Amino acid sequence: MSITIEVAKEAGACFGVERALTLALKTAEQSDGPVHTLGPLIHNPVVVHELETHGVTAVSDPTVPADATLLLRTHGVSPDIESAAKASGATVIDATCPYVKKVHKAIERLEQAGYQVLIVGEAGHPEVEGTRGHAPSAVVVGSAEEVRELELGRRVGVVVQTTMAEAVLQDVVSELVGRVEETRVINTICTATSERQAAAAELALRSDVMIVIGGKNSANTTHLADICRAACPATHHIETPEELKASWFEDVNLVGVTAGASTPQAHIEAVVSAIERLG
């Protein structure tokens, strides 16, 4: 039996990732000195390895040699880390996603206006840590349950990790209603994230099997897999075509494919071709 493969209407690398990859490759081509990224440029190990083949390597210390070029990762960094990078004398290129930059500005406004600030996101995630650097008093919450444990003031301001699921934000806001006098919510979930989640959910409802492509360390890809799994239990999160198993596609009609915002189009095409061979 032949199978049908359908790729979600919105899938794969977003504007911020494409921009960062273009910056990194262009810099590597034009630079005479070493080129580094501060941490992995994006949460996709396959892409990070591909960048290494072009001479772009990840480092954990922002103080690199003066002859080097350092790209700030798409997730953004705190002002202190950016200052330390520039103080080293190296060339610093900001590859932070423009949508993450909007979160930084939003949280600064909320703190300056006197709000008790909450970041709805994953504690320890690089984007969240970078955002906290712009409002050191902010508290990170990952669920409504965590909000219940907080002592809240009269006025609470909220921003969101760009790759967070919309449902989590809604749960947190619902928990705040009735507990505080004023809630100011700046929904900083990236449009690309919400579009990918909606398209994946719709496709998963119709599919016998869902394949989600992207880094296992990618928050937005993991959320996509969770959303798909809720509608299609036969959901598999992979990074490379080699992880596909022929048994997944036995006696199925429709295979849905989606990919996280840090997954290039070429990776999606490689997985689709591999499924065609297996099916």
Side-chain angles (χ1 to χ4, degrees), residues 62-76:
T63 55
V64 297
D67 67 334
T69 299
L70 183 69
L71 286 94
L72 304 182
R73 63 195 298 177
T74 53
H75 304 97

Side-chain angles (χ1 to χ4, degrees), residues 131-213:
T131 298
R132 283 187 66 193
H134 291 264
S137 66
V139 176
V140 181
V141 294
S143 66
E145 288 74 20
E146 292 180 19
V147 177
R148 291 188 195 116
E149 299 174 1
L150 298 178
E151 290 188 14
L152 299 173
R154 293 189 311 106
R155 305 167 69 231
V156 174
V158 178
V159 298
V160 199
Q161 181 180 336
T162 57
T163 55
M164 208 65 184
E166 191 82 39
V168 177
L169 172 62
Q170 292 172 359
D171 287 346
V172 168
V173 173
S174 295
E175 179 63 27
L176 291 171
V177 172
R179 289 190 59 192
V180 301
E181 293 182 16
E182 180 186 351
T183 304
R184 173 92 184 275
V185 180
I186 303 179
N187 186 347
T188 47
I189 295 175
C190 177
T191 303
T193 296
S194 56
E195 288 176 346
R196 278 157 183 71
Q197 290 173 353
E202 187 277 330
L203 179 56
L205 283 170
R206 298 185 286 108
S207 299
D208 300 304
V209 176
M210 278 296 295
I211 303 298
V212 182
I213 313 163

Side-chain angles (χ1 to χ4, degrees), residues 1-6 208-209 211 246 248-257 271-279:
M1 180 188 298
S2 62
I3 61 175
T4 300
I5 303 169
E6 182 177 338
D208 300 304
V209 176
I211 303 298
W248 296 349
F249 310 107
E250 293 175 358
D251 300 320
V252 302
N253 294 312
L254 176 61
V255 176
V257 176
V271 168
V272 168
S273 294
I275 295 172
E276 289 174 341
R277 291 193 296 272
L278 289 172

